[in-house]
Amino acid sequence: MDLVPGFMQLLQPLASTMTAPTFDRLITVLTGWVFASRRTVTQMILAAGSSADKHYSSYHRVFSAASWSLDALGLALFDLIQPYLGEVVMLGLDDTLARKRGLKMFGCGMHYDPLLSSRGKTITNWGHSWVVLGVMIELPFRKGHYFCLPILFRLYLNKKKAQKHRRMYRTRPELAVEMLKVLCNHRESHRFHVVADSAYGGQSVLNHLPENCDLTSRLVKDARLYDAPPVRKAGTNGRPRKRGKQLPTPIKMLAGRCRRVSLDTYGRSEEARIADCEARMFAAPDRPLRVVVTEARKGGRGQAAFYSTCHDASAEEVVAWYAQRWSIEVTFHDSKQHLGFEEPQGWSRKAVERTAPLAMLLYSLIVLWFAREGHRLYKPLDRPWYTTKSEPSFADMVATLRQQSIRQKVFSLALRGPGSRKIIQLLENMVALAA
């Protein structure tokens, strides 16, 4: 089985990151990844069919032993995304849990499980914790919707596992800063803007941002905020002040005079009270911030506080930037649901650090292929009982790629004679239902 020529052409710029034999085997693995029902290497070999003509161990070695860099592959993918980028490159940053089984698998530990946990009770689960950096873009075939395309990944090891594997312990924010520096140094002429939740909004990220990168994140509602330090007068003794006078906390800002606005976020419009000011955090007194606090007038998300290092931005812009962060949560869901992000069973260090991220890189490649040519080939199934769906989902993108690849294979058989058109039509209908 082979994928459509358009998708294969999209993969060619990635060949510079590894040797030709390794790249050929990687293409076979990606082909099997699209068609396999379970995303283990052996199942991918079976799903790839006749294109997997090498010994099965050679495909395992692509992940466990071959010489190539996951960062280099991600940066090459970033170069493919560049035609869709604006003046400022928007980035999404978050972490996700990949649930696993087995005590000998590298890097596994007990991590916070957001799906099982609630506000009143914290649940942990056994698995891998991945910190992911993706590019958030708006594609021509679906205006007003943002896709987050993952490009860089780091596996987080808790203190116990870092000590066991003799590796230096690094927190998730430290891993995030490392990825930001890798990307910002790769394209120093670009301006980046990363959006992350409160886990990555503290001083460990804010004080170590690259020069060409801004940050928008959540803020605690009782945060200590300060004005800029006063101008130092000549002849004043003592060290200069680092902070000016203390400003009201975000929750106190709501008690004052607020504006009433209509916010279009998360695919809906809601009425809210909003207040904003320019301030500085206690932990980062040298960095001016735009602090925004909102309160939904009816229902909605209650009270929330945000900040952005773009201190000259409007309050509405800061809220809209943070709302784009939801696209990375959709990416996590689709990568696990449709590409088996949690299913690879490699246990060695290299296999663990390479196999699962490839599922999210494949997510980015499929979305890019659909933006290039797949949206013109997409034919939604006739579902008269499903009238609210108007745009293709990621499941539709994967199904379109499978259908077009199998359609190409069927037409290559050169069926002739009476009944050949009915046979082709029957095969296409079966593929549509199976996909």
Side-chain angles (χ1 to χ4, degrees), residues 200-310:
Y200 301 93
Q203 59 178 327
S204 54
V205 175
L206 181 61
N207 290 335
H208 298 89
L209 286 173
E211 293 184 358
N212 57 335
C213 185
D214 288 306
L215 171 65
T216 296
S217 183
R218 287 288 294 266
L219 188 66
V220 293
K221 289 178 284 189
D222 59 348
R224 289 179 292 173
L225 302 177
Y226 296 86
D227 201 353
V231 178
R232 184 178 175 85
K233 298 180 180 179
T236 304
N237 296 327
R239 68 171 181 85
R241 289 185 61 179
K242 291 185 177 181
R243 304 169 186 85
K245 65 177 182 179
Q246 188 168 0
L247 300 176
T249 62
I251 193 66
K252 291 182 179 179
M253 290 170 62
L254 285 175
R257 193 175 185 86
C258 299
R259 294 184 290 122
R260 293 185 177 182
V261 297
S262 178
L263 298 176
D264 296 322
T265 56
Y266 305 104
R268 63 183 182 181
S269 178
E270 65 179 13
E271 299 295 323
R273 298 173 64 243
I274 191 169
D276 67 295
C277 69
E278 183 177 323
R280 298 160 190 254
M281 292 174 58
F282 180 86
D286 298 328
R287 190 136 202 177
L289 307 172
R290 175 59 55 182
V291 176
V292 180
V293 56
T294 64
E295 181 181 32
R297 294 184 62 192
K298 294 181 180 180
R301 296 176 176 267
Q303 298 175 344
F306 313 92
Y307 77 85
S308 177
T309 56
C310 298

Side-chain angles (χ1 to χ4, degrees), residues 95-102 105-115 125-132 154-156 172 332 335-336 340-345 352 355-357 359-360:
D95 56 83
T96 186
L97 174 66
R99 297 162 191 81
K100 296 290 182 180
R101 295 181 180 179
M105 189 175 293
F106 176 85
C108 277
M110 298 299 292
H111 301 286
Y112 173 75
D113 193 330
L115 295 183
N125 216 327
W126 182 260
H128 291 139
S129 179
W130 290 96
V131 184
V132 182
R154 290 293 184 272
L155 178 63
Y156 167 73
R172 292 183 180 90
F332 291 159
S335 298
K336 294 176 182 180
F341 176 75
E342 297 178 307
E343 295 176 7
Q345 299 298 310
V352 167
T355 312
M360 289 198 183

